[in-house]
mmCIF file of all heavy atoms in Angstrom:
data_model
loop_
_atom_site.group_PDB
_atom_site.id
_atom_site.type_symbol
_atom_site.label_atom_id
_atom_site.label_comp_id
_atom_site.label_asym_id
_atom_site.label_seq_id
_atom_site.Cartn_x
_atom_site.Cartn_y
_atom_site.Cartn_z
ATOM 1 N N ILE A 1 130.967 115.558 91.997
ATOM 2 C CA ILE A 1 130.233 114.233 92.362
ATOM 3 C C ILE A 1 129.203 114.422 93.372
ATOM 4 O O ILE A 1 128.080 113.960 93.254
ATOM 5 C CB ILE A 1 131.376 113.138 92.674
ATOM 6 C CG1 ILE A 1 132.156 112.861 91.271
ATOM 7 C CG2 ILE A 1 130.738 111.959 93.214
ATOM 8 C CD1 ILE A 1 133.235 111.918 91.407
ATOM 9 N N PRO A 2 129.540 115.091 94.602
ATOM 10 C CA PRO A 2 128.425 115.243 95.538
ATOM 11 C C PRO A 2 127.261 116.100 95.005
ATOM 12 O O PRO A 2 126.060 115.686 95.387
ATOM 13 C CB PRO A 2 129.224 115.900 96.741
ATOM 14 C CG PRO A 2 130.578 116.040 96.423
ATOM 15 C CD PRO A 2 130.859 115.558 94.982
ATOM 16 N N ALA A 3 127.534 117.116 94.256
ATOM 17 C CA ALA A 3 126.474 117.857 93.771
ATOM 18 C C ALA A 3 125.583 117.154 92.702
ATOM 19 O O ALA A 3 124.368 117.247 92.780
ATOM 20 C CB ALA A 3 127.029 119.186 93.127
ATOM 21 N N MET A 4 126.295 116.394 91.861
ATOM 22 C CA MET A 4 125.452 115.557 90.928
ATOM 23 C C MET A 4 124.698 114.533 91.539
ATOM 24 O O MET A 4 123.542 114.314 91.202
ATOM 25 C CB MET A 4 126.496 114.949 89.858
ATOM 26 C CG MET A 4 126.968 115.972 88.863
ATOM 27 S SD MET A 4 127.921 115.306 87.588
ATOM 28 C CE MET A 4 129.126 114.400 88.390
ATOM 29 N N ALA A 5 125.229 113.971 92.672
ATOM 30 C CA ALA A 5 124.459 112.937 93.386
ATOM 31 C C ALA A 5 123.198 113.599 94.125
ATOM 32 O O ALA A 5 122.135 112.981 93.966
ATOM 33 C CB ALA A 5 125.373 112.287 94.513
ATOM 34 N N ALA A 6 123.465 114.732 94.634
ATOM 35 C CA ALA A 6 122.334 115.473 95.284
ATOM 36 C C ALA A 6 121.281 115.775 94.247
ATOM 37 O O ALA A 6 120.003 115.590 94.439
ATOM 38 C CB ALA A 6 122.781 116.643 96.031
ATOM 39 N N GLY A 7 121.650 116.202 93.128
ATOM 40 C CA GLY A 7 120.747 116.602 92.054
ATOM 41 C C GLY A 7 119.914 115.380 91.507
ATOM 42 O O GLY A 7 118.747 115.429 91.312
ATOM 43 N N ALA A 8 120.689 114.290 91.438
ATOM 44 C CA ALA A 8 120.111 113.027 90.849
ATOM 45 C C ALA A 8 119.018 112.491 91.873
ATOM 46 O O ALA A 8 117.973 112.110 91.475
ATOM 47 C CB ALA A 8 121.200 111.964 90.521
ATOM 48 N N VAL A 9 119.395 112.457 93.169
ATOM 49 C CA VAL A 9 118.452 112.068 94.152
ATOM 50 C C VAL A 9 117.241 112.943 94.200
ATOM 51 O O VAL A 9 116.119 112.455 94.294
ATOM 52 C CB VAL A 9 119.106 111.967 95.556
ATOM 53 C CG1 VAL A 9 118.087 111.797 96.630
ATOM 54 C CG2 VAL A 9 120.218 110.894 95.584
ATOM 55 N N SER A 10 117.479 114.281 94.159
ATOM 56 C CA SER A 10 116.375 115.207 94.298
ATOM 57 C C SER A 10 115.407 115.018 93.137
ATOM 58 O O SER A 10 114.107 114.930 93.317
ATOM 59 C CB SER A 10 116.966 116.646 94.297
ATOM 60 O OG SER A 10 115.853 117.622 94.223
ATOM 61 N N MET A 11 115.893 115.159 91.856
ATOM 62 C CA MET A 11 115.102 115.016 90.712
ATOM 63 C C MET A 11 114.553 113.583 90.502
ATOM 64 O O MET A 11 113.428 113.474 90.170
ATOM 65 C CB MET A 11 115.777 115.521 89.460
ATOM 66 C CG MET A 11 116.046 117.033 89.561
ATOM 67 S SD MET A 11 117.019 117.617 88.015
ATOM 68 C CE MET A 11 118.664 116.940 88.315
ATOM 69 N N GLY A 12 115.416 112.610 90.823
ATOM 70 C CA GLY A 12 114.910 111.178 90.685
ATOM 71 C C GLY A 12 113.777 110.866 91.565
ATOM 72 O O GLY A 12 112.819 110.226 91.144
ATOM 73 N N THR A 13 113.770 111.327 92.852
ATOM 74 C CA THR A 13 112.705 111.116 93.738
ATOM 75 C C THR A 13 111.425 111.857 93.325
ATOM 76 O O THR A 13 110.356 111.251 93.372
ATOM 77 C CB THR A 13 113.024 111.401 95.187
ATOM 78 O OG1 THR A 13 113.458 112.724 95.367
ATOM 79 C CG2 THR A 13 114.110 110.420 95.761
ATOM 80 N N PHE A 14 111.551 112.982 92.811
ATOM 81 C CA PHE A 14 110.447 113.708 92.323
ATOM 82 C C PHE A 14 109.803 112.907 91.177
ATOM 83 O O PHE A 14 108.559 112.807 91.096
ATOM 84 C CB PHE A 14 110.708 115.111 91.919
ATOM 85 C CG PHE A 14 109.491 115.900 91.364
ATOM 86 C CD1 PHE A 14 108.567 116.350 92.214
ATOM 87 C CD2 PHE A 14 109.280 115.901 90.002
ATOM 88 C CE1 PHE A 14 107.388 116.980 91.796
ATOM 89 C CE2 PHE A 14 108.160 116.644 89.573
ATOM 90 C CZ PHE A 14 107.234 117.123 90.480
ATOM 91 N N LEU A 15 110.642 112.506 90.284
ATOM 92 C CA LEU A 15 110.162 111.746 89.099
ATOM 93 C C LEU A 15 109.462 110.496 89.576
ATOM 94 O O LEU A 15 108.342 110.106 89.066
ATOM 95 C CB LEU A 15 111.269 111.477 88.171
ATOM 96 C CG LEU A 15 111.713 112.645 87.411
ATOM 97 C CD1 LEU A 15 112.918 112.369 86.540
ATOM 98 C CD2 LEU A 15 110.582 113.230 86.463
ATOM 99 N N LEU A 16 110.044 109.747 90.451
ATOM 100 C CA LEU A 16 109.476 108.527 91.074
ATOM 101 C C LEU A 16 108.100 108.890 91.638
ATOM 102 O O LEU A 16 107.092 108.182 91.347
ATOM 103 C CB LEU A 16 110.381 107.858 92.096
ATOM 104 C CG LEU A 16 109.768 106.682 92.812
ATOM 105 C CD1 LEU A 16 109.614 105.545 91.831
ATOM 106 C CD2 LEU A 16 110.600 106.384 94.065
ATOM 107 N N PHE A 17 108.006 109.835 92.449
ATOM 108 C CA PHE A 17 106.684 110.249 93.068
ATOM 109 C C PHE A 17 105.709 110.736 92.062
ATOM 110 O O PHE A 17 104.503 110.329 92.092
ATOM 111 C CB PHE A 17 106.973 111.314 94.127
ATOM 112 C CG PHE A 17 107.770 110.918 95.316
ATOM 113 C CD1 PHE A 17 108.367 111.835 96.074
ATOM 114 C CD2 PHE A 17 107.851 109.532 95.656
ATOM 115 C CE1 PHE A 17 109.200 111.455 97.157
ATOM 116 C CE2 PHE A 17 108.706 109.118 96.718
ATOM 117 C CZ PHE A 17 109.355 110.160 97.554
ATOM 118 N N ALA A 18 106.120 111.448 91.066
ATOM 119 C CA ALA A 18 105.216 112.041 90.043
ATOM 120 C C ALA A 18 104.656 110.882 89.183
ATOM 121 O O ALA A 18 103.419 110.943 88.901
ATOM 122 C CB ALA A 18 106.021 113.003 89.134
ATOM 123 N N TYR A 19 105.427 110.002 88.791
ATOM 124 C CA TYR A 19 104.937 108.926 87.880
ATOM 125 C C TYR A 19 104.267 107.819 88.590
ATOM 126 O O TYR A 19 103.759 106.814 87.951
ATOM 127 C CB TYR A 19 106.058 108.419 86.908
ATOM 128 C CG TYR A 19 106.345 109.530 85.854
ATOM 129 C CD1 TYR A 19 107.311 110.424 85.939
ATOM 130 C CD2 TYR A 19 105.385 109.722 84.860
ATOM 131 C CE1 TYR A 19 107.581 111.381 85.003
ATOM 132 C CE2 TYR A 19 105.518 110.662 83.909
ATOM 133 C CZ TYR A 19 106.632 111.569 83.979
ATOM 134 O OH TYR A 19 106.762 112.497 83.030
ATOM 135 N N THR A 20 104.260 107.792 89.965
ATOM 136 C CA THR A 20 103.446 106.890 90.697
ATOM 137 C C THR A 20 102.318 107.401 91.367
ATOM 138 O O THR A 20 101.664 106.825 92.166
ATOM 139 C CB THR A 20 104.415 106.100 91.797
ATOM 140 O OG1 THR A 20 104.930 107.072 92.626
ATOM 141 C CG2 THR A 20 105.488 105.322 91.048
ATOM 142 N N THR A 21 102.047 108.735 91.076
ATOM 143 C CA THR A 21 100.837 109.436 91.613
ATOM 144 C C THR A 21 99.858 109.619 90.530
ATOM 145 O O THR A 21 100.055 110.158 89.530
ATOM 146 C CB THR A 21 101.261 110.831 92.083
ATOM 147 O OG1 THR A 21 102.327 110.714 93.108
ATOM 148 C CG2 THR A 21 100.118 111.573 92.651
ATOM 149 N N PRO A 22 98.740 108.928 90.692
ATOM 150 C CA PRO A 22 97.578 109.078 89.703
ATOM 151 C C PRO A 22 97.000 110.452 89.639
ATOM 152 O O PRO A 22 97.000 111.095 90.658
ATOM 153 C CB PRO A 22 96.561 108.075 90.176
ATOM 154 C CG PRO A 22 96.827 107.812 91.563
ATOM 155 C CD PRO A 22 98.330 108.125 91.839
ATOM 156 N N GLU A 23 96.619 110.911 88.524
ATOM 157 C CA GLU A 23 95.873 112.108 88.293
ATOM 158 C C GLU A 23 96.725 113.363 88.660
ATOM 159 O O GLU A 23 96.185 114.260 89.282
ATOM 160 C CB GLU A 23 94.506 112.082 88.986
ATOM 161 C CG GLU A 23 93.686 110.987 88.414
ATOM 162 C CD GLU A 23 92.337 110.876 89.197
ATOM 163 O OE1 GLU A 23 91.816 112.017 89.503
ATOM 164 O OE2 GLU A 23 91.799 109.766 89.335
ATOM 165 N N LEU A 24 98.047 113.413 88.376
ATOM 166 C CA LEU A 24 98.766 114.460 88.687
ATOM 167 C C LEU A 24 98.304 115.671 87.764
ATOM 168 O O LEU A 24 98.057 115.472 86.582
ATOM 169 C CB LEU A 24 100.246 114.270 88.435
ATOM 170 C CG LEU A 24 101.290 114.995 89.198
ATOM 171 C CD1 LEU A 24 101.149 114.897 90.666
ATOM 172 C CD2 LEU A 24 102.658 114.442 88.743
ATOM 173 N N ASN A 25 98.358 116.886 88.264
ATOM 174 C CA ASN A 25 97.952 117.972 87.445
ATOM 175 C C ASN A 25 98.978 118.334 86.366
ATOM 176 O O ASN A 25 100.115 117.956 86.368
ATOM 177 C CB ASN A 25 97.585 119.237 88.266
ATOM 178 C CG ASN A 25 98.709 119.902 88.906
ATOM 179 O OD1 ASN A 25 99.820 120.016 88.393
ATOM 180 N ND2 ASN A 25 98.482 120.541 90.054
ATOM 181 N N SER A 26 98.535 119.144 85.434
ATOM 182 C CA SER A 26 99.385 119.499 84.244
ATOM 183 C C SER A 26 100.693 120.275 84.608
ATOM 184 O O SER A 26 101.631 120.128 84.001
ATOM 185 C CB SER A 26 98.655 120.150 83.181
ATOM 186 O OG SER A 26 98.208 121.447 83.666
ATOM 187 N N ALA A 27 100.496 121.115 85.646
ATOM 188 C CA ALA A 27 101.770 121.867 86.109
ATOM 189 C C ALA A 27 102.779 120.937 86.649
ATOM 190 O O ALA A 27 104.026 121.179 86.361
ATOM 191 C CB ALA A 27 101.248 122.931 87.120
ATOM 192 N N ASN A 28 102.430 120.019 87.396
ATOM 193 C CA ASN A 28 103.412 119.081 88.009
ATOM 194 C C ASN A 28 103.939 118.162 86.917
ATOM 195 O O ASN A 28 105.068 117.758 87.028
ATOM 196 C CB ASN A 28 102.778 118.339 89.216
ATOM 197 C CG ASN A 28 102.810 119.230 90.434
ATOM 198 O OD1 ASN A 28 103.848 119.789 90.719
ATOM 199 N ND2 ASN A 28 101.716 119.363 91.108
ATOM 200 N N MET A 29 103.119 117.772 86.007
ATOM 201 C CA MET A 29 103.632 116.976 84.889
ATOM 202 C C MET A 29 104.621 117.814 84.095
ATOM 203 O O MET A 29 105.677 117.211 83.613
ATOM 204 C CB MET A 29 102.440 116.509 83.904
ATOM 205 C CG MET A 29 101.617 115.463 84.630
ATOM 206 S SD MET A 29 102.579 113.967 85.208
ATOM 207 C CE MET A 29 103.191 113.307 83.586
ATOM 208 N N ARG A 30 104.494 119.097 83.916
ATOM 209 C CA ARG A 30 105.412 119.987 83.169
ATOM 210 C C ARG A 30 106.747 119.901 84.080
ATOM 211 O O ARG A 30 107.856 119.824 83.419
ATOM 212 C CB ARG A 30 104.889 121.421 83.131
ATOM 213 C CG ARG A 30 105.876 122.253 82.456
ATOM 214 C CD ARG A 30 105.359 123.823 82.480
ATOM 215 N NE ARG A 30 105.577 124.283 83.859
ATOM 216 C CZ ARG A 30 104.574 124.787 84.604
ATOM 217 N NH1 ARG A 30 103.393 124.960 84.147
ATOM 218 N NH2 ARG A 30 104.871 125.178 85.843
ATOM 219 N N VAL A 31 106.664 120.022 85.356
ATOM 220 C CA VAL A 31 107.906 119.900 86.119
ATOM 221 C C VAL A 31 108.532 118.659 85.967
ATOM 222 O O VAL A 31 109.792 118.616 85.854
ATOM 223 C CB VAL A 31 107.496 120.168 87.673
ATOM 224 C CG1 VAL A 31 108.681 119.972 88.527
ATOM 225 C CG2 VAL A 31 106.935 121.593 87.943
ATOM 226 N N ALA A 32 107.745 117.550 85.964
ATOM 227 C CA ALA A 32 108.335 116.245 85.740
ATOM 228 C C ALA A 32 109.086 116.143 84.373
ATOM 229 O O ALA A 32 110.182 115.606 84.279
ATOM 230 C CB ALA A 32 107.329 115.163 85.794
ATOM 231 N N ARG A 33 108.539 116.655 83.336
ATOM 232 C CA ARG A 33 109.159 116.692 81.956
ATOM 233 C C ARG A 33 110.444 117.507 81.954
ATOM 234 O O ARG A 33 111.471 117.082 81.451
ATOM 235 C CB ARG A 33 108.211 117.190 80.941
ATOM 236 C CG ARG A 33 107.075 116.207 80.562
ATOM 237 C CD ARG A 33 106.345 116.630 79.364
ATOM 238 N NE ARG A 33 105.609 117.863 79.494
ATOM 239 C CZ ARG A 33 104.395 117.977 80.021
ATOM 240 N NH1 ARG A 33 103.783 116.936 80.516
ATOM 241 N NH2 ARG A 33 103.815 119.149 80.141
ATOM 242 N N ILE A 34 110.369 118.611 82.780
ATOM 243 C CA ILE A 34 111.688 119.387 82.850
ATOM 244 C C ILE A 34 112.752 118.646 83.614
ATOM 245 O O ILE A 34 113.913 118.569 83.237
ATOM 246 C CB ILE A 34 111.416 120.852 83.522
ATOM 247 C CG1 ILE A 34 110.476 121.652 82.575
ATOM 248 C CG2 ILE A 34 112.696 121.482 83.926
ATOM 249 C CD1 ILE A 34 109.914 122.852 83.280
ATOM 250 N N ASP A 35 112.233 117.878 84.628
ATOM 251 C CA ASP A 35 113.231 117.083 85.491
ATOM 252 C C ASP A 35 113.810 115.955 84.618
ATOM 253 O O ASP A 35 115.006 115.607 84.811
ATOM 254 C CB ASP A 35 112.668 116.640 86.696
ATOM 255 C CG ASP A 35 112.626 117.607 87.810
ATOM 256 O OD1 ASP A 35 113.083 118.805 87.507
ATOM 257 O OD2 ASP A 35 112.291 117.344 89.054
ATOM 258 N N ILE A 36 112.929 115.386 83.705
ATOM 259 C CA ILE A 36 113.509 114.288 82.861
ATOM 260 C C ILE A 36 114.707 114.871 81.986
ATOM 261 O O ILE A 36 115.776 114.281 81.882
ATOM 262 C CB ILE A 36 112.416 113.727 81.967
ATOM 263 C CG1 ILE A 36 111.501 112.876 82.805
ATOM 264 C CG2 ILE A 36 113.042 112.891 80.803
ATOM 265 C CD1 ILE A 36 110.135 112.462 82.058
ATOM 266 N N ALA A 37 114.400 116.023 81.379
ATOM 267 C CA ALA A 37 115.541 116.684 80.603
ATOM 268 C C ALA A 37 116.716 116.995 81.459
ATOM 269 O O ALA A 37 117.823 116.703 81.038
ATOM 270 C CB ALA A 37 114.937 117.881 79.959
ATOM 271 N N ALA A 38 116.545 117.476 82.679
ATOM 272 C CA ALA A 38 117.661 117.813 83.542
ATOM 273 C C ALA A 38 118.434 116.545 83.934
ATOM 274 O O ALA A 38 119.664 116.591 83.986
ATOM 275 C CB ALA A 38 117.187 118.668 84.773
ATOM 276 N N VAL A 39 117.661 115.482 84.199
ATOM 277 C CA VAL A 39 118.372 114.252 84.573
ATOM 278 C C VAL A 39 119.173 113.677 83.465
ATOM 279 O O VAL A 39 120.268 113.206 83.639
ATOM 280 C CB VAL A 39 117.383 113.193 85.105
ATOM 281 C CG1 VAL A 39 117.919 111.852 85.147
ATOM 282 C CG2 VAL A 39 116.770 113.582 86.498
ATOM 283 N N ALA A 40 118.662 113.856 82.255
ATOM 284 C CA ALA A 40 119.450 113.376 81.021
ATOM 285 C C ALA A 40 120.711 114.212 80.938
ATOM 286 O O ALA A 40 121.806 113.722 80.552
ATOM 287 C CB ALA A 40 118.602 113.550 79.804
ATOM 288 N N LEU A 41 120.625 115.535 81.109
ATOM 289 C CA LEU A 41 121.788 116.392 80.990
ATOM 290 C C LEU A 41 122.773 116.013 82.246
ATOM 291 O O LEU A 41 123.939 116.054 81.981
ATOM 292 C CB LEU A 41 121.460 117.862 81.218
ATOM 293 C CG LEU A 41 120.595 118.482 80.042
ATOM 294 C CD1 LEU A 41 120.215 119.964 80.326
ATOM 295 C CD2 LEU A 41 121.360 118.424 78.758
ATOM 296 N N LEU A 42 122.189 115.757 83.382
ATOM 297 C CA LEU A 42 123.092 115.332 84.522
ATOM 298 C C LEU A 42 123.817 114.062 84.229
ATOM 299 O O LEU A 42 124.963 113.890 84.506
ATOM 300 C CB LEU A 42 122.224 115.242 85.801
ATOM 301 C CG LEU A 42 122.928 115.348 87.095
ATOM 302 C CD1 LEU A 42 123.737 116.660 87.222
ATOM 303 C CD2 LEU A 42 121.962 115.226 88.232
ATOM 304 N N ALA A 43 123.079 113.014 83.584
ATOM 305 C CA ALA A 43 123.633 111.756 83.263
ATOM 306 C C ALA A 43 124.861 111.977 82.301
ATOM 307 O O ALA A 43 125.855 111.311 82.372
ATOM 308 C CB ALA A 43 122.647 110.862 82.763
#
């Protein structure tokens, strides 16, 4: 539970920042897509 909470907060905040940042580069969008998949696995 603590590890999943830490992972969810870490990836969730990155996704929040990524999708509220205009003109993010393709490499960071790739990281965001990977995090979406990881958050789904974590859920």
Side-chain angles (χ1 to χ4, degrees):
I1 292 175
M4 289 188 302
V9 169
S10 175
M11 291 180 288
T13 55
F14 179 78
L15 289 170
L16 174 67
F17 296 156
Y19 285 100
T20 58
T21 301
E23 301 180 33
L24 204 61
N25 72 31
S26 62
N28 281 310
M29 288 305 295
R30 181 188 72 235
V31 172
R33 286 190 298 275
I34 292 168
D35 276 5
I36 288 169
V39 167
L41 293 176
L42 198 58

